[in-house]
Amino acid sequence: MNMLPRRHTGAFASVAVAVVLATATVAAFLVGSSSVSLGDLVAWITGGDVSDAAKSILVNVRLPRVLAALLSGAALAVAGAIIQAVLDNPLASPNIIGINSGAGLFVLLAASVFPGLLWLPPLAAFAGALVTALVIFGISLGANTSRLTVVLAGIAITSVFGAGMNTILIVNPDAYIGSSTFLVGGLAGVLMKDVLWPAGYIAIGLLAAFGAAGKLNIMALGDQTAHSLGMNVSRTRLLMLGLAAVLSGAAVSFAGLLGFVGLIIPHLVRFFVGHDNRLVLPLSAAAGAAFVVFCDMCSRVLFAPYEVPVGILMAFLGGPFFIYLILKNRKGGLDDRG
């Protein structure tokens, strides 16, 4: 793969990811506790005749769930790619440095204090994600702060916010319906009304991220070079972290604390296409969407008749990958100031 010209590698990766995404999406519509035939799916899409039972499954169950998986996967993967670039830290991702937990805590607070407001959880999630991102950003600017220190600080923040979420659920068990699934990340029971508001934030956030990819490339040249090219580096970092907070917060508001999407996917994409964020960000969005759709489908069928929240399956995959990255980067200056 690395012997191909970068342009051809990017084109090949784009086609491969598109095929995987389309295949996983179609399969996710067909497979489940109640299977739907490919003919019924095609008829539903084209407006043809389809049985009431199949139509009900597709519209009320599969469509919101697949859409939620696509949106959350794309949002978390792009957020992870942005955070890794902004902090210059290969171990950073929304769940590792506590951004997901901050969003989750604020969602539960909003649900406890203002139940029934459908538009509030995405805003609360963004606020929690942004507060956490700013804290991590402040820590990363500290004197003699290493990349590993930033990660450890994020883990500590995650622990504190996790305790806060559990406290809310103990005091007010009805604060959030399906809170047990929310805490590990899951898409079972997601409805269209849960996805509509966050979908708008994610769509805007993705477009803004793709448009800002060139700025991330300039930042990668180093602060001095970026300054010489006329960039206000500190302001750009804050804006990009805010963008990552929008994406991860919106995803958490309906998908819960899904982990490791923003860690695994950007690394895999960079392995194939390099570090040009004009390719990395859109391909991370597509690959992240495909990854979550596929994992969610597996969580539905591998343990039938039981269903395991997709966040548990991702933890099984992401935990070893995180350990691998720690060992890989140990010799590459992980303890150096990042």
Side-chain angles (χ1 to χ4, degrees):
M1 180 66 66
N2 293 331
M3 296 177 63
L4 291 173
R6 184 65 66 191
R7 179 179 58 189
H8 295 162
T9 302
F12 177 81
S14 299
V15 172
V17 170
V19 171
V20 172
L21 176 59
T23 303
T25 302
V26 171
F29 272 105
L30 302 179
V31 177
S33 57
S34 299
S35 299
V36 176
S37 70
L38 181 60
D40 285 334
L41 177 61
V42 172
W44 174 62
I45 294 174
T46 58
D49 293 331
V50 58
S51 67
D52 291 339
K55 184 176 181 180
S56 177
I57 292 172
L58 290 170
V59 173
N60 298 320
V61 180
R62 301 287 162 76
L63 178 60
R65 185 160 185 167
V66 172
L67 182 60
L70 291 170
L71 290 170
S72 60
L76 291 172
V78 172
I82 291 173
I83 292 168
Q84 289 166 13
V86 167
L87 298 181
D88 188 25
N89 192 330
L91 299 181
S93 71
N95 70 299
I96 296 297
I97 65 174
I99 290 179
N100 280 6
S101 294
L105 176 61
F106 276 56
V107 166
L108 291 183
L109 282 172
S112 179
V113 178
F114 302 104
L117 297 181
L118 297 179
W119 52 268
L120 187 57
L123 291 179
F126 163 67
L130 182 60
V131 168
T132 310
L134 292 176
V135 171
I136 292 297
F137 180 64
I139 293 173
S140 70
L141 296 178
N144 300 319
T145 300
S146 70
R147 295 170 177 175
L148 186 57
T149 300
V150 172
V151 172
L152 293 175
I155 293 173
I157 290 171
T158 298
S159 177
V160 172
F161 285 166
M165 286 185 281
N166 285 319
T167 300
I168 291 172
L169 294 174
I170 290 173
V171 174
N172 184 8
D174 298 325
Y176 198 89
I177 298 174
S179 57
S180 59
T181 299
F182 178 85
L183 293 177
V184 297
L187 302 173
V190 172
L191 303 175
M192 286 300 295
K193 65 182 180 66
D194 302 320
V195 179
L196 289 180
W197 277 98
Y201 299 123
I202 291 174
I204 294 172
L206 290 176
L207 291 176
F210 299 157
K215 294 183 179 180
L216 289 177
N217 286 345
I218 295 175
M219 289 177 61
L221 300 175
D223 288 3
Q224 290 185 348
T225 302
H227 277 301
S228 68
L229 294 174
M231 174 181 287
N232 186 326
V233 177
S234 296
R235 184 176 66 182
T236 302
R237 279 201 174 100
L238 285 174
L239 289 175
M240 296 307 296
L241 278 176
L243 194 54
V246 170
L247 292 169
S248 56
V252 166
S253 69
F254 63 85
L257 306 185
L258 288 180
F260 297 106
V261 183
L263 179 71
I264 297 174
I265 297 302
H267 280 284
L268 293 180
V269 170
R270 292 191 193 100
F271 176 79
F272 288 103
V273 303
H275 294 266
D276 185 349
N277 287 290
R278 293 171 299 178
L279 279 175
V280 170
L281 293 188
L283 283 178
S284 292
F291 178 69
V292 176
V293 168
F294 177 75
C295 288
D296 184 56
M297 180 180 64
C298 290
S299 71
R300 283 188 266 148
V301 301
L302 289 181
F303 306 97
Y306 304 101
E307 180 175 326
V308 174
V310 64
I312 294 178
L313 181 60
M314 288 182 177
F316 278 120
L317 298 174
F321 189 81
F322 183 55
I323 295 173
Y324 161 75
L325 287 179
I326 292 176
L327 297 177
K328 176 185 176 183
N329 288 279
R330 187 73 179 182
K331 295 181 180 180
L334 183 62
D335 292 327
D336 298 335
R337 177 171 167 75

